[in-house]
């Protein structure tokens, strides 16, 4: 299973960015998909998750600013990020969950300038 992120880049504080995650085959077979990020010197953290059984989840750091969505017809998951802050700078990873297994992409870098 191949997972690939795209859409990263440089954005000014207060701006928006949409990340995309494409997976090989149908994403409907995954019970959940999530977006995680890792900033330099910090642990990887979950920023959004979408599940067929439990819906969407956002930690406080992302709530109200980030929106995760999925399009099964395009086998894609998106992360819309608004009101970006310099502390949102990180490598963003997409993960597909299937049972106890997780499949990760290589990540896409987002840099938010002040």
């Amino acid at each position: 299973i191949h997972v690939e992120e795209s859409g990263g880049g440089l954005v000014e504080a207060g701006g928006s960015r949409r990340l995309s995650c494409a997976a090989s085959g149908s994403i409907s077979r995954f019970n959940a998909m999530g977006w995680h990020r890792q900033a330099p010197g910090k642990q990887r953290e979950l920023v959004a998750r979408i599940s067929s059984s439990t819906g969407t989840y956002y930690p406080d750091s992302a709530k109200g600013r980030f929106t995760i969505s999925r399009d099964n017809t395009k086998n894609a998951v998106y992360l819309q990020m608004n009101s970006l802050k310099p502390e949102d700078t990180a490598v963003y990873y997409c993960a597909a969950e299937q049972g106890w297994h997780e499949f990760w992409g290589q990540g896409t870098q987002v840099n938010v300038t002040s």
Side-chain angles (χ1 to χ4, degrees):
I1 294 177
H2 181 72
V3 177
E4 185 171 358
E5 307 90 343
S6 61
L10 190 65
V11 60
E12 292 185 354
S16 299
R17 199 80 180 184
R18 189 176 86 151
L19 305 182
S20 299
C21 172
S24 56
S26 174
I27 65 169
S28 61
R29 71 187 188 276
F30 300 120
N31 50 283
M33 296 193 73
W35 283 96
H36 305 246
R37 70 184 181 188
Q38 187 166 21
K42 295 187 176 181
Q43 289 188 328
R44 190 173 296 188
E45 62 173 346
L46 176 69
V47 295
R49 184 176 184 268
I50 187 165
S51 165
S52 55
S53 59
T54 60
T56 57
Y57 166 80
Y58 305 94
D60 288 343
S61 59
K63 202 171 294 183
R65 300 189 301 125
F66 292 5
T67 303
I68 187 170
S69 61
R70 65 192 293 171
D71 186 339
N72 288 348
T73 65
K74 296 183 178 180
N75 293 322
V77 174
Y78 306 100
L79 182 67
Q80 177 66 44
M81 305 186 293
N82 299 326
S83 303
L84 283 164
K85 307 173 183 179
E87 51 263 44
D88 294 318
T89 294
V91 178
Y92 284 73
Y93 299 89
C94 177
E97 301 173 27
Q98 188 176 50
W100 295 106
H101 300 283
E102 287 186 326
F103 303 93
W104 292 81
Q106 293 300 305
T108 185
Q109 177 73 46
V110 174
N111 289 311
V112 184
T113 61
S114 57

